[in-house]
Amino acid sequence: MMQAKKVYDVALIEDDPIMGESLCMRFELEGFSYKWLKNLEDAKKALHKYRFHLVLSDIRLPDGNSETLLKSLLSSGNSISSWIVFTGYATVDQAVRMMQYGVVDYLAKPFDLEQLISKITSKLDQNTNCTIPPNLFLGTSSQIQHIQQIIIKMANHPQTGILIQGETGVGKERVAQLLHHLTYPDQKQPFVALNCGAISDNLLESELFGHEQGAFTGAQKKHLGVLERANGGTLLLDEIGDMPENMQVKLLRAIQERNFMRVGGETLISFKTRIICATHKNLAELVEIGAFREDLYHRINIITLPIPPLRARAEDIIPIASQILKDLSPPAPNSERYTLAPPVEIALLSYRWPGNIRELKNCLERATVMCEGNIINIDDLGLDPKQLEEIHDGKTLKEHLNYCERNYILTSLSQQQGKIIKTAEALGLSRKNLWEKMQKLNISSQ
């Protein structure tokens, strides 16, 4: 049997003996369990051998920098703990770049110790209650962190009705999956999802409750419905607002009685299933006009989780994009991950994202196909110009992005002493593609 990894609160990666000793003394006073690691090699071994709720790391170390370590862990498929980095070498740009890989915060030396302890305590309060896998990452904004704390509390109340509301593509099913993951961490219980709006009215009852053999024409064998298949686990009823009224009555009865009968059956079947409902519609308004039953609405709406659209939480866009690109990157250990050119980040942050996370994912999937090399540029995105915000100086975002891209290429040309081939390699472009961009942006090759 494989032995479970020993768990520590904090991994401190710091080579300065004075700062390291000072921090360790404070950790002991605070009651944190910790390991002090003084170089990258020791840190890499420890992060593979032990589990840490939080990593506190200097960026520059005797044998390299912690960004290299972070990339190495991600490329090998390891889920990372919350990271806070600090530096005394004016590498703020590098710290910001590391946040795209999952770093949650950074502090410039000299930093306030009380502020650091406060940040560590806050993160430990979140992380010791749950471990969120990368594929269920929701974001880092205050709105999402609040929702995440509610989800953590609800994990201990599997019989309470939950309604997830939000626009199409905002990640409602992912929220339901995270709640399921935290409720059943061993992942032995089933998670089943049913889109009520994607099934015709005459088939919805069979999909929900199942049917017996011969119950109707075409019922050649017994069929288990989602309530039965999800028994003991979680059932997500997506787009509950599209459920016809006759089915609303039957669903309400099943929830109240905690049992049902298959179509054509005579035996009551009990179930213990957490039912989560989701919709992009305003159910309260539907209740007012009589399009949704009030009694069912109150039954499924004990706790409401309103998921804000992506445009209302811009701080989540780049972290979510980075996670998507990580998932899209080649799995080979030596393959480079897809990265975003700086003008692209401006574009992503300024785009309205009417399709929310689903549209962002589709956009980045297209970009990974269209880009040359591993650096994604503006032209690779295929963004709808109608959804680009205007810049306050009167320029359109397209004009502003072209300005940013031009400066980015000029800077790279300067760094490479004007050598086209070297510049193209640094930008992840072909020589031909760089020439085309230079002509479009009126950049001289002299």
Side-chain angles (χ1 to χ4, degrees):
M1 181 180 295
M2 184 178 294
Q3 188 176 6
K5 291 184 177 181
K6 187 173 181 179
V7 180
Y8 290 90
D9 287 330
V10 181
L12 173 63
I13 308 175
E14 171 60 73
D15 63 309
D16 186 316
I18 297 177
M19 175 171 286
E21 289 176 7
S22 175
L23 287 173
C24 290
M25 289 175 62
R26 184 58 186 269
F27 292 164
E28 290 177 3
L29 289 173
E30 296 291 335
F32 300 155
S33 59
Y34 65 91
K35 268 196 167 298
W36 181 12
L37 310 160
K38 301 178 182 179
N39 55 60
L40 287 182
E41 186 62 30
D42 290 345
K44 187 174 183 179
K45 291 177 181 177
L47 291 172
H48 281 290
K49 184 176 181 180
Y50 305 106
R51 281 185 55 205
F52 297 92
H53 291 302
L54 183 140
V55 177
L56 177 64
S57 176
D58 199 346
I59 289 183
R60 294 194 178 183
L61 294 157
D63 50 347
N65 65 73
S66 55
E67 182 177 5
T68 303
L69 174 62
L70 185 57
K71 288 181 178 180
S72 173
L73 290 170
L74 290 170
S75 65
S76 61
N78 286 287
S79 59
I80 64 167
S81 310
S82 295
W83 280 55
I84 297 176
V85 297
F86 48 79
T87 180
Y89 294 88
T91 55
V92 173
D93 289 344
Q94 186 176 21
V96 172
R97 185 169 67 245
M98 289 178 69
M99 295 182 76
Q100 297 179 24
Y101 298 114
V103 167
V104 297
D105 209 343
Y106 70 91
L107 295 170
K109 294 179 181 178
F111 52 80
D112 183 273
L113 183 57
E114 296 304 321
Q115 181 187 13
L116 174 62
I117 295 300
S118 176
K119 288 180 182 292
I120 293 175
T121 302
S122 175
K123 289 300 174 185
L124 289 180
D125 287 343
Q126 296 175 21
N127 295 341
T128 53
N129 287 325
C130 65
T131 301
I132 298 175
N135 65 307
L136 296 180
F137 175 71
L138 301 179
T140 60
S141 64
S142 58
Q143 301 103 305
I144 291 300
Q145 291 300 313
H146 175 67
I147 289 170
Q148 203 161 274
Q149 290 305 305
I150 296 176
I151 293 174
I152 292 170
K153 293 179 181 178
M154 294 308 301
N156 297 319
H157 302 278
Q159 300 305 318
T160 303
I162 297 175
L163 177 64
I164 305 174
Q165 291 185 305
E167 295 179 2
T168 299
V170 82
K172 296 186 290 293
E173 183 167 348
R174 179 171 287 198
V175 170
Q177 288 173 331
L178 177 57
L179 179 55
H180 174 77
H181 173 85
L182 297 178
T183 304
Y184 309 108
D186 58 5
Q187 295 302 289
K188 293 181 179 179
Q189 291 76 9
F191 176 89
V192 180
L194 176 69
N195 188 325
C196 301
I199 300 173
S200 61
D201 293 357
N202 60 333
L203 290 178
L204 185 56
E205 184 175 8
S206 174
E207 283 301 310
L208 190 58
F209 302 114
H211 63 252
E212 299 288 355
Q213 183 178 359
F216 50 84
T217 303
Q220 298 179 358
K221 61 180 181 179
K222 181 175 70 176
H223 171 69
L224 303 185
V226 291
L227 266 175
E228 198 166 351
R229 299 204 303 270
N231 196 14
T234 303
L235 171 62
L236 170 63
L237 295 177
D238 200 4
E239 299 305 345
I240 189 73
D242 293 331
M243 180 177 283
E245 185 175 1
N246 67 316
M247 284 305 304
Q248 293 178 31
V249 175
K250 295 177 180 180
L251 175 62
L252 176 62
R253 181 179 179 83
I255 293 175
Q256 289 175 334
E257 302 295 332
R258 305 307 294 181
N259 59 48
F260 63 92
M261 280 194 291
R262 301 190 192 108
V263 177
E266 298 179 350
T267 304
L268 283 173
I269 301 171
S270 299
F271 69 95
K272 293 183 179 180
T273 303
R274 160 174 262 154
I275 297 178
I276 301 174
C277 297
T279 180
H280 73 281
K281 295 183 176 181
N282 188 322
L283 291 190
E285 291 182 356
L286 293 182
V287 169
E288 287 183 6
I289 64 175
F292 197 86
R293 291 185 63 91
E294 184 175 7
D295 46 6
L296 177 59
Y297 173 66
H298 291 304
R299 187 71 184 183
I300 65 175
N301 190 32
I302 305 300
I303 298 292
T304 301
L305 293 176
I307 313 301
L310 197 54
R311 61 183 173 274
R313 46 188 176 100
E315 58 265 53
D316 286 336
I317 293 175
I318 300 303
I320 291 175
S322 297
Q323 181 61 47
I324 292 171
L325 288 178
K326 176 181 177 293
D327 295 339
L328 293 173
S329 294
N334 296 327
S335 299
E336 291 191 45
R337 291 179 58 198
Y338 292 111
T339 56
L340 303 172
V344 174
E345 293 187 10
I346 299 173
L348 297 183
L349 291 170
S350 303
Y351 195 72
R352 294 188 185 97
W353 299 113
N356 293 292
I357 296 175
R358 184 177 298 148
E359 184 182 6
L360 174 60
K361 182 177 180 181
N362 292 342
C363 173
L364 293 174
E365 284 183 353
R366 177 192 187 278
T368 59
V369 173
M370 301 301 294
C371 73
E372 296 189 29
N374 68 308
I375 298 180
I376 293 174
N377 291 281
I378 293 173
D379 293 338
D380 303 322
L381 296 174
L383 296 176
D384 180 0
K386 296 178 182 178
Q387 298 297 333
L388 296 176
E389 301 284 0
E390 288 192 357
I391 307 301
H392 294 299
D393 60 6
K395 292 180 181 177
T396 65
L397 180 63
K398 189 74 172 177
E399 292 170 338
H400 184 72
L401 293 175
N402 284 339
Y403 171 80
C404 293
E405 187 174 22
R406 187 175 190 275
N407 284 347
Y408 185 59
I409 292 175
L410 285 170
T411 299
S412 186
L413 279 168
S414 176
Q415 292 172 345
Q416 303 300 332
Q417 290 81 45
K419 297 177 181 178
I420 300 297
I421 295 178
K422 291 284 188 182
T423 302
E425 290 176 353
L427 295 173
L429 302 172
S430 68
R431 184 179 178 182
K432 177 178 178 294
N433 193 230
L434 176 58
W435 271 112
E436 290 173 348
K437 287 182 176 293
M438 290 173 64
Q439 290 178 338
K440 183 186 78 171
L441 299 170
N442 194 28
I443 299 174
S444 173
S445 60
Q446 301 298 322

